[in-house]
Amino acid sequence: MAASSADISTRIIEAVMAQKLAPGTRLGEQQLAILFNCSRTIVREALTRLATRGIVTVTARRGWFVVEPSEAEAREAFAARRVIELGLIRQMPPLGKHALKQLKLHLQREKAAVRGSDVGARSFLLGDFHVCLAECLGNHLLADTLRDFTARTTLIAMLYQSSHDAAQSCEDHVRIVAALEAGDTALAERLMSDHIGTVQDALRLQPAAEVDALSQLRDALAPMADSARGAPRSAAAPAATGPHESPDSSTYLGALL
């Protein structure tokens, strides 16, 4: 049975969250069409959808690739997650019995995956907790947004060699759900903030440098040092060369410049 563009985009997102598609992986249209038993038009539609969601990118001559977020984009992704997830908890109604049951079931699967050897399942479930939380609160729009941000965060963790411990992440989730069950949204919000911060701190990112545009121009346009300039140039014509001599190339180019 042929897959739809939505099926393909969902599978790619899941593969990213399971760390089965690394940053920079090429996604060939023909190979995907064969794999999903569909036309290249359907594949292109799925990849275009993922490009608008920031998961893949395309270049005219090289094709489609899983994105490789820059350090600046990594910081933006974590900042966006803080805004969304802390705001979600802050505005959420009390958890109902069904929602609480779903979250605890998810935590059980997380714990089993952490104890097991399936790294893909473990990575997917740890990331999907945040999507599950939004779904349990009844906000499917934010759940879709968080799914994309979680996928990008997974790519960031792979690209910048995260040292974050899966067991710690799972325990963070357990404490967040316990605070929500107790009706302590302030604690849950603080725990979520700490959790996101811990995940970010585990990345090998360089500290963000403040850019001083004036300082950059001042350094770039400073006079050349004498050692780089060489001897002062004379406005007079260069000395004549012998009949079999050619002007030194560096002197000649210097005169032109």
Side-chain angles (χ1 to χ4, degrees), residues 50-74:
L50 289 174
T52 63
R53 294 165 62 181
I55 305 301
V56 305
T57 186
V58 63
T59 56
R61 296 186 178 181
R62 299 181 63 230
W64 300 90
F65 293 84
V66 178
V67 297
E68 297 180 85
S70 66
E71 293 194 9
E73 290 170 333

mmCIF file with all atom_site columns, all heavy atoms in Angstrom, residues 50-74:
data_model
loop_
_atom_site.group_PDB
_atom_site.id
_atom_site.type_symbol
_atom_site.label_atom_id
_atom_site.label_alt_id
_atom_site.label_comp_id
_atom_site.label_asym_id
_atom_site.label_entity_id
_atom_site.label_seq_id
_atom_site.pdbx_PDB_ins_code
_atom_site.Cartn_x
_atom_site.Cartn_y
_atom_site.Cartn_z
_atom_site.occupancy
_atom_site.B_iso_or_equiv
_atom_site.pdbx_formal_charge
_atom_site.auth_seq_id
_atom_site.auth_comp_id
_atom_site.auth_asym_id
_atom_site.auth_atom_id
_atom_site.pdbx_PDB_model_num
ATOM 1   N N   . LEU A 1 50 ? 8.212  19.044 5.657   1.00 0.00 ? 50 LEU A N   1
ATOM 2   C CA  . LEU A 1 50 ? 9.220  18.977 6.715   1.00 0.00 ? 50 LEU A CA  1
ATOM 3   C C   . LEU A 1 50 ? 10.177 20.164 6.651   1.00 0.00 ? 50 LEU A C   1
ATOM 4   O O   . LEU A 1 50 ? 10.694 20.603 7.677   1.00 0.00 ? 50 LEU A O   1
ATOM 5   C CB  . LEU A 1 50 ? 10.004 17.665 6.614   1.00 0.00 ? 50 LEU A CB  1
ATOM 6   C CG  . LEU A 1 50 ? 9.231  16.398 6.997   1.00 0.00 ? 50 LEU A CG  1
ATOM 7   C CD1 . LEU A 1 50 ? 10.075 15.159 6.707   1.00 0.00 ? 50 LEU A CD1 1
ATOM 8   C CD2 . LEU A 1 50 ? 8.828  16.429 8.465   1.00 0.00 ? 50 LEU A CD2 1
ATOM 9   N N   . ALA A 1 51 ? 10.411 20.679 5.456   1.00 0.00 ? 51 ALA A N   1
ATOM 10  C CA  . ALA A 1 51 ? 11.284 21.848 5.322   1.00 0.00 ? 51 ALA A CA  1
ATOM 11  C C   . ALA A 1 51 ? 10.655 23.069 5.981   1.00 0.00 ? 51 ALA A C   1
ATOM 12  O O   . ALA A 1 51 ? 11.327 23.862 6.643   1.00 0.00 ? 51 ALA A O   1
ATOM 13  C CB  . ALA A 1 51 ? 11.576 22.120 3.850   1.00 0.00 ? 51 ALA A CB  1
ATOM 14  N N   . THR A 1 52 ? 9.335  23.217 5.825   1.00 0.00 ? 52 THR A N   1
ATOM 15  C CA  . THR A 1 52 ? 8.651  24.356 6.461   1.00 0.00 ? 52 THR A CA  1
ATOM 16  C C   . THR A 1 52 ? 8.634  24.198 7.976   1.00 0.00 ? 52 THR A C   1
ATOM 17  O O   . THR A 1 52 ? 8.508  25.189 8.698   1.00 0.00 ? 52 THR A O   1
ATOM 18  C CB  . THR A 1 52 ? 7.204  24.487 5.949   1.00 0.00 ? 52 THR A CB  1
ATOM 19  O OG1 . THR A 1 52 ? 6.450  23.319 6.313   1.00 0.00 ? 52 THR A OG1 1
ATOM 20  C CG2 . THR A 1 52 ? 7.171  24.647 4.433   1.00 0.00 ? 52 THR A CG2 1
ATOM 21  N N   . ARG A 1 53 ? 8.778  22.979 8.460   1.00 0.00 ? 53 ARG A N   1
ATOM 22  C CA  . ARG A 1 53 ? 8.804  22.717 9.905   1.00 0.00 ? 53 ARG A CA  1
ATOM 23  C C   . ARG A 1 53 ? 10.228 22.733 10.468  1.00 0.00 ? 53 ARG A C   1
ATOM 24  O O   . ARG A 1 53 ? 10.431 22.496 11.653  1.00 0.00 ? 53 ARG A O   1
ATOM 25  C CB  . ARG A 1 53 ? 8.137  21.364 10.180  1.00 0.00 ? 53 ARG A CB  1
ATOM 26  C CG  . ARG A 1 53 ? 6.656  21.359 9.842   1.00 0.00 ? 53 ARG A CG  1
ATOM 27  C CD  . ARG A 1 53 ? 6.062  19.964 9.748   1.00 0.00 ? 53 ARG A CD  1
ATOM 28  N NE  . ARG A 1 53 ? 6.126  19.226 10.994  1.00 0.00 ? 53 ARG A NE  1
ATOM 29  C CZ  . ARG A 1 53 ? 5.679  17.978 11.131  1.00 0.00 ? 53 ARG A CZ  1
ATOM 30  N NH1 . ARG A 1 53 ? 5.155  17.341 10.086  1.00 0.00 ? 53 ARG A NH1 1
ATOM 31  N NH2 . ARG A 1 53 ? 5.746  17.369 12.297  1.00 0.00 ? 53 ARG A NH2 1
ATOM 32  N N   . GLY A 1 54 ? 11.210 22.984 9.607   1.00 0.00 ? 54 GLY A N   1
ATOM 33  C CA  . GLY A 1 54 ? 12.585 23.127 10.066  1.00 0.00 ? 54 GLY A CA  1
ATOM 34  C C   . GLY A 1 54 ? 13.313 21.826 10.322  1.00 0.00 ? 54 GLY A C   1
ATOM 35  O O   . GLY A 1 54 ? 14.328 21.819 11.020  1.00 0.00 ? 54 GLY A O   1
ATOM 36  N N   . ILE A 1 55 ? 12.846 20.715 9.732   1.00 0.00 ? 55 ILE A N   1
ATOM 37  C CA  . ILE A 1 55 ? 13.474 19.420 9.983   1.00 0.00 ? 55 ILE A CA  1
ATOM 38  C C   . ILE A 1 55 ? 14.418 19.029 8.848   1.00 0.00 ? 55 ILE A C   1
ATOM 39  O O   . ILE A 1 55 ? 15.430 18.370 9.072   1.00 0.00 ? 55 ILE A O   1
ATOM 40  C CB  . ILE A 1 55 ? 12.410 18.317 10.166  1.00 0.00 ? 55 ILE A CB  1
ATOM 41  C CG1 . ILE A 1 55 ? 11.427 18.727 11.278  1.00 0.00 ? 55 ILE A CG1 1
ATOM 42  C CG2 . ILE A 1 55 ? 13.048 16.977 10.497  1.00 0.00 ? 55 ILE A CG2 1
ATOM 43  C CD1 . ILE A 1 55 ? 12.056 18.973 12.623  1.00 0.00 ? 55 ILE A CD1 1
ATOM 44  N N   . VAL A 1 56 ? 14.092 19.398 7.630   1.00 0.00 ? 56 VAL A N   1
ATOM 45  C CA  . VAL A 1 56 ? 14.967 19.117 6.490   1.00 0.00 ? 56 VAL A CA  1
ATOM 46  C C   . VAL A 1 56 ? 15.234 20.408 5.739   1.00 0.00 ? 56 VAL A C   1
ATOM 47  O O   . VAL A 1 56 ? 14.546 21.419 5.928   1.00 0.00 ? 56 VAL A O   1
ATOM 48  C CB  . VAL A 1 56 ? 14.359 18.056 5.525   1.00 0.00 ? 56 VAL A CB  1
ATOM 49  C CG1 . VAL A 1 56 ? 14.010 16.782 6.270   1.00 0.00 ? 56 VAL A CG1 1
ATOM 50  C CG2 . VAL A 1 56 ? 13.144 18.611 4.798   1.00 0.00 ? 56 VAL A CG2 1
ATOM 51  N N   . THR A 1 57 ? 16.240 20.343 4.889   1.00 0.00 ? 57 THR A N   1
ATOM 52  C CA  . THR A 1 57 ? 16.575 21.490 4.052   1.00 0.00 ? 57 THR A CA  1
ATOM 53  C C   . THR A 1 57 ? 16.899 20.975 2.662   1.00 0.00 ? 57 THR A C   1
ATOM 54  O O   . THR A 1 57 ? 17.197 19.790 2.479   1.00 0.00 ? 57 THR A O   1
ATOM 55  C CB  . THR A 1 57 ? 17.774 22.269 4.639   1.00 0.00 ? 57 THR A CB  1
ATOM 56  O OG1 . THR A 1 57 ? 17.987 23.454 3.886   1.00 0.00 ? 57 THR A OG1 1
ATOM 57  C CG2 . THR A 1 57 ? 19.041 21.424 4.628   1.00 0.00 ? 57 THR A CG2 1
ATOM 58  N N   . VAL A 1 58 ? 16.830 21.856 1.670   1.00 0.00 ? 58 VAL A N   1
ATOM 59  C CA  . VAL A 1 58 ? 17.070 21.452 0.291   1.00 0.00 ? 58 VAL A CA  1
ATOM 60  C C   . VAL A 1 58 ? 17.973 22.462 -0.391  1.00 0.00 ? 58 VAL A C   1
ATOM 61  O O   . VAL A 1 58 ? 17.911 23.659 -0.104  1.00 0.00 ? 58 VAL A O   1
ATOM 62  C CB  . VAL A 1 58 ? 15.735 21.311 -0.483  1.00 0.00 ? 58 VAL A CB  1
ATOM 63  C CG1 . VAL A 1 58 ? 15.008 22.647 -0.584  1.00 0.00 ? 58 VAL A CG1 1
ATOM 64  C CG2 . VAL A 1 58 ? 15.958 20.709 -1.867  1.00 0.00 ? 58 VAL A CG2 1
ATOM 65  N N   . THR A 1 59 ? 18.843 21.959 -1.255  1.00 0.00 ? 59 THR A N   1
ATOM 66  C CA  . THR A 1 59 ? 19.654 22.822 -2.107  1.00 0.00 ? 59 THR A CA  1
ATOM 67  C C   . THR A 1 59 ? 19.427 22.398 -3.544  1.00 0.00 ? 59 THR A C   1
ATOM 68  O O   . THR A 1 59 ? 19.142 21.221 -3.818  1.00 0.00 ? 59 THR A O   1
ATOM 69  C CB  . THR A 1 59 ? 21.152 22.713 -1.764  1.00 0.00 ? 59 THR A CB  1
ATOM 70  O OG1 . THR A 1 59 ? 21.562 21.342 -1.867  1.00 0.00 ? 59 THR A OG1 1
ATOM 71  C CG2 . THR A 1 59 ? 21.428 23.209 -0.352  1.00 0.00 ? 59 THR A CG2 1
ATOM 72  N N   . ALA A 1 60 ? 19.562 23.334 -4.453  1.00 0.00 ? 60 ALA A N   1
ATOM 73  C CA  . ALA A 1 60 ? 19.174 23.110 -5.847  1.00 0.00 ? 60 ALA A CA  1
ATOM 74  C C   . ALA A 1 60 ? 19.899 21.932 -6.485  1.00 0.00 ? 60 ALA A C   1
ATOM 75  O O   . ALA A 1 60 ? 19.301 21.137 -7.195  1.00 0.00 ? 60 ALA A O   1
ATOM 76  C CB  . ALA A 1 60 ? 19.420 24.384 -6.657  1.00 0.00 ? 60 ALA A CB  1
ATOM 77  N N   . ARG A 1 61 ? 21.180 21.783 -6.237  1.00 0.00 ? 61 ARG A N   1
ATOM 78  C CA  . ARG A 1 61 ? 21.956 20.750 -6.937  1.00 0.00 ? 61 ARG A CA  1
ATOM 79  C C   . ARG A 1 61 ? 22.252 19.519 -6.098  1.00 0.00 ? 61 ARG A C   1
ATOM 80  O O   . ARG A 1 61 ? 22.604 18.483 -6.635  1.00 0.00 ? 61 ARG A O   1
ATOM 81  C CB  . ARG A 1 61 ? 23.281 21.351 -7.419  1.00 0.00 ? 61 ARG A CB  1
ATOM 82  C CG  . ARG A 1 61 ? 23.086 22.451 -8.454  1.00 0.00 ? 61 ARG A CG  1
ATOM 83  C CD  . ARG A 1 61 ? 24.407 22.915 -9.016  1.00 0.00 ? 61 ARG A CD  1
ATOM 84  N NE  . ARG A 1 61 ? 24.231 23.935 -10.030 1.00 0.00 ? 61 ARG A NE  1
ATOM 85  C CZ  . ARG A 1 61 ? 25.218 24.509 -10.701 1.00 0.00 ? 61 ARG A CZ  1
ATOM 86  N NH1 . ARG A 1 61 ? 26.473 24.152 -10.443 1.00 0.00 ? 61 ARG A NH1 1
ATOM 87  N NH2 . ARG A 1 61 ? 24.976 25.436 -11.605 1.00 0.00 ? 61 ARG A NH2 1
ATOM 88  N N   . ARG A 1 62 ? 22.123 19.644 -4.784  1.00 0.00 ? 62 ARG A N   1
ATOM 89  C CA  . ARG A 1 62 ? 22.519 18.529 -3.917  1.00 0.00 ? 62 ARG A CA  1
ATOM 90  C C   . ARG A 1 62 ? 21.332 17.733 -3.382  1.00 0.00 ? 62 ARG A C   1
ATOM 91  O O   . ARG A 1 62 ? 21.475 16.600 -2.958  1.00 0.00 ? 62 ARG A O   1
ATOM 92  C CB  . ARG A 1 62 ? 23.365 19.047 -2.754  1.00 0.00 ? 62 ARG A CB  1
ATOM 93  C CG  . ARG A 1 62 ? 24.656 19.724 -3.190  1.00 0.00 ? 62 ARG A CG  1
ATOM 94  C CD  . ARG A 1 62 ? 25.482 20.196 -2.002  1.00 0.00 ? 62 ARG A CD  1
ATOM 95  N NE  . ARG A 1 62 ? 25.912 19.078 -1.181  1.00 0.00 ? 62 ARG A NE  1
ATOM 96  C CZ  . ARG A 1 62 ? 25.767 19.013 0.136   1.00 0.00 ? 62 ARG A CZ  1
ATOM 97  N NH1 . ARG A 1 62 ? 25.160 19.999 0.788   1.00 0.00 ? 62 ARG A NH1 1
ATOM 98  N NH2 . ARG A 1 62 ? 26.194 17.975 0.812   1.00 0.00 ? 62 ARG A NH2 1
ATOM 99  N N   . GLY A 1 63 ? 20.139 18.301 -3.332  1.00 0.00 ? 63 GLY A N   1
ATOM 100 C CA  . GLY A 1 63 ? 18.963 17.572 -2.894  1.00 0.00 ? 63 GLY A CA  1
ATOM 101 C C   . GLY A 1 63 ? 18.554 17.888 -1.466  1.00 0.00 ? 63 GLY A C   1
ATOM 102 O O   . GLY A 1 63 ? 18.853 18.957 -0.939  1.00 0.00 ? 63 GLY A O   1
ATOM 103 N N   . TRP A 1 64 ? 17.868 16.913 -0.835  1.00 0.00 ? 64 TRP A N   1
ATOM 104 C CA  . TRP A 1 64 ? 17.285 17.080 0.494   1.00 0.00 ? 64 TRP A CA  1
ATOM 105 C C   . TRP A 1 64 ? 18.195 16.475 1.564   1.00 0.00 ? 64 TRP A C   1
ATOM 106 O O   . TRP A 1 64 ? 18.748 15.383 1.379   1.00 0.00 ? 64 TRP A O   1
ATOM 107 C CB  . TRP A 1 64 ? 15.925 16.387 0.556   1.00 0.00 ? 64 TRP A CB  1
ATOM 108 C CG  . TRP A 1 64 ? 14.923 16.893 -0.416  1.00 0.00 ? 64 TRP A CG  1
ATOM 109 C CD1 . TRP A 1 64 ? 14.706 16.430 -1.687  1.00 0.00 ? 64 TRP A CD1 1
ATOM 110 C CD2 . TRP A 1 64 ? 13.980 17.938 -0.203  1.00 0.00 ? 64 TRP A CD2 1
ATOM 111 N NE1 . TRP A 1 64 ? 13.692 17.128 -2.278  1.00 0.00 ? 64 TRP A NE1 1
ATOM 112 C CE2 . TRP A 1 64 ? 13.224 18.071 -1.395  1.00 0.00 ? 64 TRP A CE2 1
ATOM 113 C CE3 . TRP A 1 64 ? 13.695 18.782 0.863   1.00 0.00 ? 64 TRP A CE3 1
ATOM 114 C CZ2 . TRP A 1 64 ? 12.204 18.990 -1.530  1.00 0.00 ? 64 TRP A CZ2 1
ATOM 115 C CZ3 . TRP A 1 64 ? 12.682 19.714 0.729   1.00 0.00 ? 64 TRP A CZ3 1
ATOM 116 C CH2 . TRP A 1 64 ? 11.953 19.821 -0.454  1.00 0.00 ? 64 TRP A CH2 1
ATOM 117 N N   . PHE A 1 65 ? 18.285 17.174 2.699   1.00 0.00 ? 65 PHE A N   1
ATOM 118 C CA  . PHE A 1 65 ? 19.115 16.706 3.811   1.00 0.00 ? 65 PHE A CA  1
ATOM 119 C C   . PHE A 1 65 ? 18.423 17.004 5.137   1.00 0.00 ? 65 PHE A C   1
ATOM 120 O O   . PHE A 1 65 ? 17.695 17.994 5.258   1.00 0.00 ? 65 PHE A O   1
ATOM 121 C CB  . PHE A 1 65 ? 20.484 17.403 3.816   1.00 0.00 ? 65 PHE A CB  1
ATOM 122 C CG  . PHE A 1 65 ? 21.356 17.050 2.647   1.00 0.00 ? 65 PHE A CG  1
ATOM 123 C CD1 . PHE A 1 65 ? 21.222 17.710 1.447   1.00 0.00 ? 65 PHE A CD1 1
ATOM 124 C CD2 . PHE A 1 65 ? 22.304 16.041 2.756   1.00 0.00 ? 65 PHE A CD2 1
ATOM 125 C CE1 . PHE A 1 65 ? 22.019 17.389 0.357   1.00 0.00 ? 65 PHE A CE1 1
ATOM 126 C CE2 . PHE A 1 65 ? 23.102 15.714 1.673   1.00 0.00 ? 65 PHE A CE2 1
ATOM 127 C CZ  . PHE A 1 65 ? 22.969 16.384 0.468   1.00 0.00 ? 65 PHE A CZ  1
ATOM 128 N N   . VAL A 1 66 ? 18.674 16.152 6.133   1.00 0.00 ? 66 VAL A N   1
ATOM 129 C CA  . VAL A 1 66 ? 18.255 16.458 7.496   1.00 0.00 ? 66 VAL A CA  1
ATOM 130 C C   . VAL A 1 66 ? 19.075 17.669 7.953   1.00 0.00 ? 66 VAL A C   1
ATOM 131 O O   . VAL A 1 66 ? 20.277 17.752 7.682   1.00 0.00 ? 66 VAL A O   1
ATOM 132 C CB  . VAL A 1 66 ? 18.503 15.264 8.435   1.00 0.00 ? 66 VAL A CB  1
ATOM 133 C CG1 . VAL A 1 66 ? 18.110 15.606 9.868   1.00 0.00 ? 66 VAL A CG1 1
ATOM 134 C CG2 . VAL A 1 66 ? 17.724 14.039 7.954   1.00 0.00 ? 66 VAL A CG2 1
ATOM 135 N N   . VAL A 1 67 ? 18.429 18.606 8.625   1.00 0.00 ? 67 VAL A N   1
ATOM 136 C CA  . VAL A 1 67 ? 19.109 19.852 8.992   1.00 0.00 ? 67 VAL A CA  1
ATOM 137 C C   . VAL A 1 67 ? 20.247 19.605 9.983   1.00 0.00 ? 67 VAL A C   1
ATOM 138 O O   . VAL A 1 67 ? 20.226 18.631 10.748  1.00 0.00 ? 67 VAL A O   1
ATOM 139 C CB  . VAL A 1 67 ? 18.133 20.898 9.595   1.00 0.00 ? 67 VAL A CB  1
ATOM 140 C CG1 . VAL A 1 67 ? 17.087 21.315 8.588   1.00 0.00 ? 67 VAL A CG1 1
ATOM 141 C CG2 . VAL A 1 67 ? 17.503 20.377 10.876  1.00 0.00 ? 67 VAL A CG2 1
ATOM 142 N N   . GLU A 1 68 ? 21.211 20.493 9.964   1.00 0.00 ? 68 GLU A N   1
ATOM 143 C CA  . GLU A 1 68 ? 22.304 20.513 10.928  1.00 0.00 ? 68 GLU A CA  1
ATOM 144 C C   . GLU A 1 68 ? 22.240 21.859 11.645  1.00 0.00 ? 68 GLU A C   1
ATOM 145 O O   . GLU A 1 68 ? 22.835 22.832 11.198  1.00 0.00 ? 68 GLU A O   1
ATOM 146 C CB  . GLU A 1 68 ? 23.647 20.340 10.231  1.00 0.00 ? 68 GLU A CB  1
ATOM 147 C CG  . GLU A 1 68 ? 23.797 19.012 9.518   1.00 0.00 ? 68 GLU A CG  1
ATOM 148 C CD  . GLU A 1 68 ? 25.148 18.868 8.839   1.00 0.00 ? 68 GLU A CD  1
ATOM 149 O OE1 . GLU A 1 68 ? 26.109 18.453 9.528   1.00 0.00 ? 68 GLU A OE1 1
ATOM 150 O OE2 . GLU A 1 68 ? 25.249 19.182 7.645   1.00 0.00 ? 68 GLU A OE2 1
ATOM 151 N N   . PRO A 1 69 ? 21.507 21.935 12.757  1.00 0.00 ? 69 PRO A N   1
ATOM 152 C CA  . PRO A 1 69 ? 21.315 23.228 13.433  1.00 0.00 ? 69 PRO A CA  1
ATOM 153 C C   . PRO A 1 69 ? 22.637 23.846 13.878  1.00 0.00 ? 69 PRO A C   1
ATOM 154 O O   . PRO A 1 69 ? 23.525 23.147 14.367  1.00 0.00 ? 69 PRO A O   1
ATOM 155 C CB  . PRO A 1 69 ? 20.449 22.875 14.642  1.00 0.00 ? 69 PRO A CB  1
ATOM 156 C CG  . PRO A 1 69 ? 19.793 21.571 14.286  1.00 0.00 ? 69 PRO A CG  1
ATOM 157 C CD  . PRO A 1 69 ? 20.801 20.844 13.448  1.00 0.00 ? 69 PRO A CD  1
ATOM 158 N N   . SER A 1 70 ? 22.753 25.155 13.686  1.00 0.00 ? 70 SER A N   1
ATOM 159 C CA  . SER A 1 70 ? 23.930 25.868 14.165  1.00 0.00 ? 70 SER A CA  1
ATOM 160 C C   . SER A 1 70 ? 23.833 26.036 15.686  1.00 0.00 ? 70 SER A C   1
ATOM 161 O O   . SER A 1 70 ? 22.785 25.750 16.291  1.00 0.00 ? 70 SER A O   1
ATOM 162 C CB  . SER A 1 70 ? 24.020 27.243 13.509  1.00 0.00 ? 70 SER A CB  1
ATOM 163 O OG  . SER A 1 70 ? 22.932 28.061 13.944  1.00 0.00 ? 70 SER A OG  1
ATOM 164 N N   . GLU A 1 71 ? 24.912 26.508 16.298  1.00 0.00 ? 71 GLU A N   1
ATOM 165 C CA  . GLU A 1 71 ? 24.882 26.724 17.738  1.00 0.00 ? 71 GLU A CA  1
ATOM 166 C C   . GLU A 1 71 ? 23.847 27.781 18.104  1.00 0.00 ? 71 GLU A C   1
ATOM 167 O O   . GLU A 1 71 ? 23.152 27.658 19.120  1.00 0.00 ? 71 GLU A O   1
ATOM 168 C CB  . GLU A 1 71 ? 26.271 27.123 18.243  1.00 0.00 ? 71 GLU A CB  1
ATOM 169 C CG  . GLU A 1 71 ? 27.291 25.996 18.130  1.00 0.00 ? 71 GLU A CG  1
ATOM 170 C CD  . GLU A 1 71 ? 28.553 26.276 18.919  1.00 0.00 ? 71 GLU A CD  1
ATOM 171 O OE1 . GLU A 1 71 ? 28.574 27.244 19.690  1.00 0.00 ? 71 GLU A OE1 1
ATOM 172 O OE2 . GLU A 1 71 ? 29.519 25.499 18.774  1.00 0.00 ? 71 GLU A OE2 1
ATOM 173 N N   . ALA A 1 72 ? 23.724 28.824 17.277  1.00 0.00 ? 72 ALA A N   1
ATOM 174 C CA  . ALA A 1 72 ? 22.725 29.866 17.536  1.00 0.00 ? 72 ALA A CA  1
ATOM 175 C C   . ALA A 1 72 ? 21.319 29.286 17.449  1.00 0.00 ? 72 ALA A C   1
ATOM 176 O O   . ALA A 1 72 ? 20.446 29.590 18.275  1.00 0.00 ? 72 ALA A O   1
ATOM 177 C CB  . ALA A 1 72 ? 22.887 31.011 16.546  1.00 0.00 ? 72 ALA A CB  1
ATOM 178 N N   . GLU A 1 73 ? 21.080 28.422 16.450  1.00 0.00 ? 73 GLU A N   1
ATOM 179 C CA  . GLU A 1 73 ? 19.767 27.795 16.307  1.00 0.00 ? 73 GLU A CA  1
ATOM 180 C C   . GLU A 1 73 ? 19.484 26.838 17.471  1.00 0.00 ? 73 GLU A C   1
ATOM 181 O O   . GLU A 1 73 ? 18.331 26.689 17.880  1.00 0.00 ? 73 GLU A O   1
ATOM 182 C CB  . GLU A 1 73 ? 19.697 27.058 14.970  1.00 0.00 ? 73 GLU A CB  1
ATOM 183 C CG  . GLU A 1 73 ? 19.648 27.994 13.771  1.00 0.00 ? 73 GLU A CG  1
ATOM 184 C CD  . GLU A 1 73 ? 19.833 27.271 12.455  1.00 0.00 ? 73 GLU A CD  1
ATOM 185 O OE1 . GLU A 1 73 ? 20.478 26.195 12.448  1.00 0.00 ? 73 GLU A OE1 1
ATOM 186 O OE2 . GLU A 1 73 ? 19.337 27.776 11.426  1.00 0.00 ? 73 GLU A OE2 1
ATOM 187 N N   . ALA A 1 74 ? 20.532 26.198 17.982  1.00 0.00 ? 74 ALA A N   1
ATOM 188 C CA  . ALA A 1 74 ? 20.364 25.311 19.140  1.00 0.00 ? 74 ALA A CA  1
ATOM 189 C C   . ALA A 1 74 ? 19.869 26.101 20.338  1.00 0.00 ? 74 ALA A C   1
ATOM 190 O O   . ALA A 1 74 ? 18.928 25.689 21.036  1.00 0.00 ? 74 ALA A O   1
ATOM 191 C CB  . ALA A 1 74 ? 21.678 24.606 19.459  1.00 0.00 ? 74 ALA A CB  1
#
